[in-house]
Amino acid sequence: MLFAQRLYSALRALYGAVKIINHGIDPAFMDKVDEVGKQFFGLPLEEKKKYARENGSYDGYMNHIIDSKDQAFDWIDRLHLVTKPEDKRQLKLWPENPQSFREILHEYTAKIEKLNEMLLKAIARALNLEENCFLDMYGEEASMLSIFNLYPPCPRPDLAIGLKPHADASVFTYLIQDKEVEGLQFQKDDQWYRVPVIPGAFVINVGDQIEIMSNGIFKSPIHRVVTNTERGRMSLVMFCFPNPNKEIEPVKGLVTGTRPRLYKTMKDYTSIV
């Protein structure tokens, strides 16, 4: 219960984002996850293009996304892979080089799935709710998405940002930061605050769908990634999404006379945002 209370306090105080150590995933294994990502991005461009995303799909490798000529663009290379449900995996886009990539990502997905279950139960306990109330709404056929991000050194940070300000549509988002180079920032009270690097720690933030389920008690924070003129950095983000066929709504125990219902019932949230 102590962990649940600390998690609750941290998420409330820090506007929906926390940094967690002693999370049960061996830092040595996290280093392996980090290393296979770096090895992939270190391959020649033609090798990486073997895993390029296809038209109309988000899965696969892509680089330097530009939305329009009139705005700063995202200065980023990405490898975007659905990891759960397993029957939705496009394995042809899962790199075979490095050779251990697929095995490590599969194992990492299972570990994050367990950590996510633990956090969903913890916030329920902290709110004095039935332990599985968030987990039941999350559903057994939930989905997980991994994105390996490489932010190369940027010669013109006035024209490009690593990743534009946004909130996540997930339940929770799990980030392994670069072990040496900062770049992630969260917004609070209209100010941007950098996230310091702590090797072996996860940066975990609330997504929109926990904000809905918690009836606004937990907020989905705005965050961004800034560029660096001298050093590149790599991170891995894992997003956990509810089963799109399950209805999500504020948990009934969190709708009271003093705290009215703030969100409507909906399905497949990511398709409407």
Side-chain angles (χ1 to χ4, degrees):
M1 189 62 182
L2 180 60
F3 170 76
Q5 292 170 341
R6 287 180 174 174
L7 178 65
Y8 169 84
S9 297
L11 288 174
R12 294 277 288 171
L14 300 176
Y15 278 35
V18 295
K19 182 164 281 194
I20 294 181
I21 58 175
N22 300 324
H23 38 65
I25 299 178
D26 187 347
F29 178 74
M30 294 172 68
D31 287 344
K32 290 182 180 180
V33 178
D34 179 75
E35 184 59 29
V36 294
K38 288 179 177 176
Q39 288 176 12
F40 171 78
F41 285 122
L43 295 173
L45 182 59
E46 289 305 311
E47 177 71 16
K48 290 183 288 191
K49 282 183 176 180
K50 293 179 181 179
Y51 307 101
R53 70 171 181 176
E54 300 171 348
N55 289 337
S57 172
Y58 285 103
D59 256 20
Y61 170 73
M62 62 201 86
N63 67 338
H64 295 189
I65 305 164
I66 303 175
D67 288 337
S68 80
K69 295 180 181 179
D70 302 320
Q71 70 181 50
F73 59 88
D74 293 339
W75 187 264
I76 186 174
D77 280 12
R78 315 186 91 175
L79 179 62
H80 181 298
L81 300 170
V82 171
T83 60
K84 190 175 181 291
E86 290 190 29
D87 62 1
K88 300 296 184 183
R89 294 177 177 179
Q90 296 192 58
L91 289 179
K92 65 181 180 179
L93 299 175
W94 286 46
E96 295 180 282
N97 186 4
Q99 190 174 11
S100 60
F101 184 98
R102 294 184 177 190
E103 178 184 350
I104 287 175
L105 184 56
H106 174 76
E107 184 176 351
Y108 181 67
T109 299
K111 291 179 182 296
I112 293 295
E113 186 175 17
K114 290 181 180 179
L115 180 58
N116 189 62
E117 180 178 332
M118 182 183 74
L119 261 63
L120 289 170
K121 290 182 176 181
I123 61 171
R125 292 196 302 272
L127 294 168
N128 296 315
L129 299 170
E130 194 279 317
E131 184 179 62
N132 290 325
C133 64
F134 291 110
L135 190 60
D136 289 344
M137 203 178 299
Y138 180 68
E140 293 183 0
E141 295 299 319
S143 62
M144 299 172 70
L145 166 65
S146 295
I147 303 181
F148 291 82
N149 296 307
L150 177 70
Y151 303 93
C154 178
R156 292 293 305 272
D158 56 319
L159 296 179
I161 191 166
L163 197 60
K164 291 184 291 293
H166 65 285
D168 294 337
S170 58
V171 165
F172 281 116
T173 300
Y174 299 83
L175 170 70
I176 299 178
Q177 288 180 282
D178 190 286
K179 290 189 290 186
E180 298 179 353
V181 184
E182 294 180 1
L184 178 65
Q185 298 180 344
F186 282 91
Q187 188 179 58
K188 181 178 180 180
D189 300 328
D190 297 322
Q191 297 292 320
W192 289 103
Y193 295 89
R194 67 181 183 85
V195 179
V197 171
I198 301 178
F202 276 109
V203 178
I204 301 174
N205 67 267
V206 168
D208 294 347
Q209 299 195 62
I210 281 293
E211 180 170 333
I212 293 168
M213 294 179 191
S214 71
N215 201 32
I217 290 176
F218 301 116
K219 300 294 186 183
S220 178
I222 302 295
H223 49 288
R224 70 181 183 183
V225 178
V226 296
T227 53
N228 186 307
T229 58
E230 298 178 358
R231 302 180 68 184
R233 59 185 292 273
M234 197 203 79
S235 65
L236 170 59
V237 188
M238 181 79 82
F239 300 94
C240 295
F241 300 100
N243 180 340
N245 296 315
K246 294 272 289 186
E247 290 185 337
I248 65 164
E249 61 184 353
V251 172
K252 291 181 173 56
L254 300 178
V255 178
T256 66
T258 57
R259 189 176 189 87
R261 182 182 173 121
L262 300 177
Y263 306 93
K264 64 182 181 180
T265 302
M266 62 188 75
K267 286 184 179 181
D268 197 9
Y269 176 81
T270 57
S271 71
I272 59 177
V273 294

